[in-house]
Amino acid sequence: MNSLTHADYLALRRFPALDGLRAIAAVLVVFFHYGGPDWLQGWAGVQMFFVLSGFLIMTLMLREERGTGRISLKEFYLRRAFRILPVYFVILLVTAAGSAIAGTFLSNGIGPALKYFLTFTNEFAGASPYGQSWSLGIEQKFYVVWPLVAIALGTVVLRRRAGAALLGMLLALVIVSFTVSHSNPGWPLHYFSILTGVLLAIALHSPRGFALLRPLTNPVAQVIVSIGFVGVHLSVKPIAAFLDGTNGIPGHVLVIPVYALATAVLLTTLAAPGPATTFLSTKPMQFVGERSYSLYLVQTIAATVIAFFWPALSGIGQSVVVTALGLALASVLYTTVEIPMINLGRRVITRQRAAATVKAAVVQQGAPQPPTPQSESSRLATIGQAQP
């Protein structure tokens, strides 16, 4: 069977397997928090989200620059705001209000942590009913800073030299994590995962980079890599145990770079058709994947409800029931908040483009102007929305 060509890759409007990966990542995290087997090490699902986010965001930016010759920072930030913030603040409000009604607003940590949640420094907030949102602190800072860095590098540098620059950044993050003491040990390594996804996007966008990775897009390679990735995931616990205590950093932190690189290799294979892509693109996987962001954020509310009505439930049964209720709540949020706000964001961007076109025409004394090119990132919106 043939491998994917670079032209075929650039022509892809959607990576259907990524919905399935998001579904697996979200369920892994819920299982990890609520009774799932320890050998599953579901916490690693967050690192999968990070790599996916870096890959999708950078792919959209590169394709927008390729299609229009520029990257619109304003549109980028508007898309991220309408995608991420509405559900985030709705669930934060419900969590805070529920804690106040229960009389635990201060004692459970949500009150003291609000300053972190409102400024997206969640990773330093400590334990609270909204503690799972720590990853949003990591991602939001990436969304704010990375587009500025990418544009500052310039499109030529971005295409030709960003790989070397990113490798340097990745190594710097590893060094900082291993040599500097933090209240949250190893936190910079979460950016290693995101930047690994960014580096993969740059490599696949480049003809030379794609040529190096092209053998991984063969269907046979996809099967082999998928099996290997499962092996890496199941080895997370023993690898973490082996590395535990190195330079005073917990083993589960030190295993992050290994897992991030394994995820990047898996993503490369999943860009092409194959058995794993077919499985991850099924309707059930797509259904859960589309709701994975809300599921991730609403999991504590679901677990609290289950604990109230079924306090004796534990183990794998608890994992399954909490996931099921969380998915039901996430479906409501997806329908009533996520999709309407995403669509509103698109309408806002469309109106702004139209207004900019009219203004340009007026400046040119009414001379006919070509329509503003549709940004590649908008045209490729079906590629998928990056999530935590």
Side-chain angles (χ1 to χ4, degrees):
M1 297 184 224
N2 295 328
S3 299
L4 198 68
T5 68
H6 191 229
D8 289 337
Y9 170 77
L10 293 178
L12 287 174
R13 295 184 55 132
R14 187 171 182 272
F15 301 119
L18 299 197
D19 278 333
L21 277 187
R22 281 197 287 256
I24 291 172
V27 172
L28 280 174
V29 172
V30 177
F31 268 53
F32 172 70
H33 287 152
Y34 301 105
D38 186 55
W39 57 264
L40 192 57
Q41 294 291 284
W43 64 269
V46 176
Q47 302 306 319
M48 192 182 297
F49 272 127
F50 285 155
V51 178
L52 280 169
S53 292
F55 172 73
L56 286 171
I57 289 299
M58 195 66 228
T59 296
L60 290 172
M61 290 175 65
L62 287 168
R63 293 191 177 188
E64 179 177 359
E65 189 273 336
R66 176 174 175 263
T68 67
R70 60 187 289 270
I71 297 171
S72 172
L73 275 177
K74 186 177 182 180
E75 291 187 7
F76 175 86
Y77 290 132
L78 279 173
R79 282 192 296 272
R80 290 297 90 210
F82 279 98
R83 176 69 186 91
I84 299 297
L85 300 185
V87 170
Y88 175 87
F89 284 116
V90 165
I91 298 178
L92 175 59
L93 177 61
V94 171
T95 303
S99 297
I101 293 170
T104 59
F105 183 75
L106 295 177
S107 62
N108 68 11
I110 188 73
L114 275 180
K115 60 184 178 182
Y116 297 102
F117 299 144
L118 295 175
T119 57
F120 286 98
T121 52
N122 312 47
E123 65 269 39
F124 305 112
S128 80
Y130 207 47
Q132 76 277 14
S133 70
W134 69 268
S135 62
L136 270 296
I138 300 290
E139 294 227 7
Q140 283 296 89
K141 286 187 280 293
F142 165 72
Y143 294 149
V144 170
V145 173
W146 176 249
L148 299 175
V149 173
I151 290 177
L153 287 173
T155 55
V156 174
V157 176
L158 189 65
R159 285 196 297 267
R160 297 180 181 177
R161 300 177 185 172
L166 276 171
L167 283 174
M169 293 171 68
L170 293 176
L171 290 174
L173 286 172
V174 172
I175 292 170
V176 168
S177 297
F178 289 1
T179 59
V180 181
S181 176
H182 304 283
S183 59
N184 184 356
W187 64 267
L189 278 180
H190 299 303
Y191 291 100
F192 182 103
S193 295
I194 297 177
L195 291 173
T196 298
V198 169
L199 185 59
L200 175 64
I202 293 172
L204 290 176
H205 191 78
S206 160
R208 288 184 179 180
F210 187 89
L212 291 174
L213 297 173
R214 188 186 177 197
L216 293 173
T217 65
N218 185 283
V220 175
Q222 183 180 102
V223 173
I224 295 172
V225 169
S226 298
I227 294 172
F229 180 81
V230 172
V232 170
H233 184 90
L234 296 179
S235 300
V236 163
K237 184 177 180 180
I239 294 174
F242 176 77
L243 296 174
D244 191 43
T246 303
N247 204 41
I249 299 178
H252 73 275
V253 173
L254 297 175
V255 81
I256 287 173
V258 177
Y259 195 84
L261 292 171
T263 301
V265 174
L266 179 65
L267 277 179
T268 304
T269 70
L270 294 177
T277 298
T278 299
F279 169 71
L280 293 170
S281 306
T282 57
K283 288 186 177 181
M285 285 291 192
Q286 182 178 4
F287 180 87
V288 178
E290 289 173 344
R291 292 153 179 80
S292 58
Y293 176 45
S294 288
L295 172 61
Y296 178 82
L297 289 179
V298 84
Q299 59 180 293
T300 302
I301 294 175
T304 302
V305 172
I306 296 300
F308 180 81
F309 288 102
W310 199 346
L313 187 63
S314 62
I316 192 69
Q318 181 189 23
S319 302
V320 173
V321 174
V322 170
T323 300
L325 178 58
L327 189 56
L329 296 175
S331 294
V332 174
L333 290 165
Y334 181 75
T335 302
T336 61
V337 180
E338 286 195 64
I339 293 301
M341 293 306 295
I342 290 172
N343 289 337
L344 175 60
R346 289 172 179 168
R347 290 196 295 272
V348 168
I349 290 173
T350 299
R351 286 198 295 268
Q352 289 187 349
R353 287 181 191 160
T357 301
V358 171
K359 182 178 179 180
V362 170
V363 169
Q364 294 297 325
Q365 299 179 344
Q369 298 292 316
T372 302
Q374 182 184 25
S375 75
E376 188 72 1
S377 56
S378 175
R379 186 181 72 82
L380 293 168
T382 52
I383 282 181
Q385 299 292 335
Q387 300 172 344

